[in-house]
Amino acid sequence: MSMTLALTGCRANDSEPSAATCPSQVFDLQSTETPLGPPKELIRVFNQAVDQQVPVTTLAEMTSSAGWSSNWDRVIFIASAMTDAHLKRESGTDLTLACFDGLPGRSSNSDLVSPHATVFLSDGKPVQAVWWSGQNPSLDFGGQSFLTPETVFRYNPNRRVMEAE
């Protein structure tokens, strides 16, 4: 899986210098640590749900099927050019971490979807990131700002994704 990534560092907005405001409270989106479970397994489970056109499921059922731990309570979406301030607003919780490192960059090919990540949180603290790429990743937040274990997903046949309600 090839992705173009830009390490943007810690910032509250685009005009602040990188890494200036939070030298000790940074969550690295590029970390290879997998305390919850293997990211490839979660992606495989979502892809399989699309292939099987699973009518309805929950995020907790999907993570469990992937062999993941249940030690998380919220998931946020991170796309290219997002700032830490935007992430804090959209997370629906008080993030206890000041900054993110390794935010996704924009794809240089306008026909391709830029890579994005989902970050699993526990009590406002980021635990693990999962990177999604491709024209049509199988997990779609729908209109949701964040997801919880109880979030319901339905198969969307028009877009061929598992879409959050």
Side-chain angles (χ1 to χ4, degrees):
M1 201 161 34
S2 173
M3 291 186 247
T4 304
L5 303 174
L7 296 179
T8 59
C10 170
R11 60 192 174 156
N13 65 45
D14 291 332
S15 64
E16 285 190 19
S18 177
T21 58
C22 53
S24 65
Q25 296 182 337
V26 178
F27 181 77
D28 183 4
L29 293 166
Q30 305 297 321
S31 174
T32 58
E33 293 182 29
T34 58
L36 298 176
K40 287 182 181 180
E41 275 303 299
L42 184 61
I43 293 168
R44 184 193 63 76
V45 166
F46 268 90
N47 289 342
Q48 185 175 37
V50 166
D51 291 343
Q52 295 174 356
Q53 301 180 11
V54 173
V56 65
T57 188
T58 66
L59 187 52
E61 291 169 335
M62 297 295 276
T63 57
S64 177
S65 292
W68 275 41
S69 161
S70 61
N71 294 332
W72 59 275
D73 54 24
R74 190 164 297 239
V75 182
I76 59 175
F77 175 85
I78 299 182
S80 63
M82 289 181 102
T83 64
D84 294 318
H86 180 254
L87 291 169
K88 288 179 183 183
R89 278 192 312 273
E90 293 295 314
S91 70
T93 187
D94 275 337
L95 288 175
T96 58
L97 188 73
C99 299
F100 289 90
D101 195 13
L103 292 167
R106 292 191 190 276
S107 173
S108 59
N109 182 342
S110 62
D111 292 336
L112 294 177
V113 174
S114 297
H116 62 273
T118 52
V119 177
F120 287 74
L121 308 168
S122 179
D123 294 324
K125 182 179 179 188
V127 178
Q128 182 174 336
V130 176
W131 285 90
W132 304 79
S133 65
Q135 274 301 104
N136 199 29
S138 53
L139 177 148
D140 189 295
F141 272 58
Q144 307 300 318
S145 296
F146 60 86
L147 308 174
T148 66
E150 297 80 25
T151 298
V152 172
F153 281 87
R154 293 193 187 277
Y155 174 69
N156 180 327
N158 297 324
R159 297 184 50 237
R160 290 199 38 81
V161 297
M162 295 304 292
E163 187 171 37
E165 295 189 334

